[in-house]
Amino acid sequence: DIDTKDVTEHAHLPCVAILAQFTQRWLKKNDNKLPSNYKERTEFKDEVGSGGNGENYDDAVHWASQCYFPPRIDREVQEVLDDPKAKNLTKDSSNFWIM
């Protein structure tokens, strides 16, 4: 809990937990919308950074962009996913396409 008053507990919050809780707070106060422009992204990072001190908070600021940028799929992987063999499975499809 990022609001804990226990100094030791606060200092040992995992980076992922810090980001998850700040993201939830952001969504609640911003109509369920993630930061979408430079000003909002900077504000989000500043909020994360002001939440505490220590390595985990430094890491959380560093990785904050992972909370608002959409996930990326490599071009080669996307080509496999878009292949007609992946979309039109038959009883003769190889296990590769089924998995």
Side-chain angles (χ1 to χ4, degrees):
D1 179 16
I2 56 177
D3 294 323
T4 184
K5 301 298 180 204
D6 184 312
V7 176
T8 304
E9 186 178 322
H10 189 78
H12 289 91
L13 288 171
C15 170
V16 173
I18 295 166
L19 288 173
Q21 291 181 45
F22 273 101
T23 300
Q24 287 177 334
R25 282 186 179 178
W26 180 274
L27 291 170
K28 283 181 184 174
K29 73 177 193 180
N30 291 284
D31 298 322
N32 214 30
K33 294 181 179 145
L34 292 170
S36 61
N37 58 49
Y38 179 79
K39 180 180 179 234
E40 291 175 349
R41 291 171 182 162
T42 302
E43 184 181 333
F44 179 76
K45 280 187 167 188
D46 290 346
E47 286 181 19
V48 172
S50 69
N53 297 318
E55 187 177 345
N56 291 348
Y57 278 87
D58 293 342
D59 288 345
V61 171
H62 175 78
W63 291 106
S65 64
Q66 299 302 310
C67 296
Y68 50 76
F69 283 139
R72 295 181 308 246
I73 298 175
D74 289 335
R75 183 182 49 82
E76 294 87 1
V77 173
Q78 191 62 54
E79 287 174 3
V80 171
L81 295 173
D82 292 339
D83 191 295
K85 292 177 186 171
K87 297 182 180 203
N88 303 312
L89 298 175
T90 69
K91 65 180 179 155
D92 298 321
S93 296
S94 76
N95 288 341
F96 174 84
W97 297 109
I98 295 171
M99 296 184 166

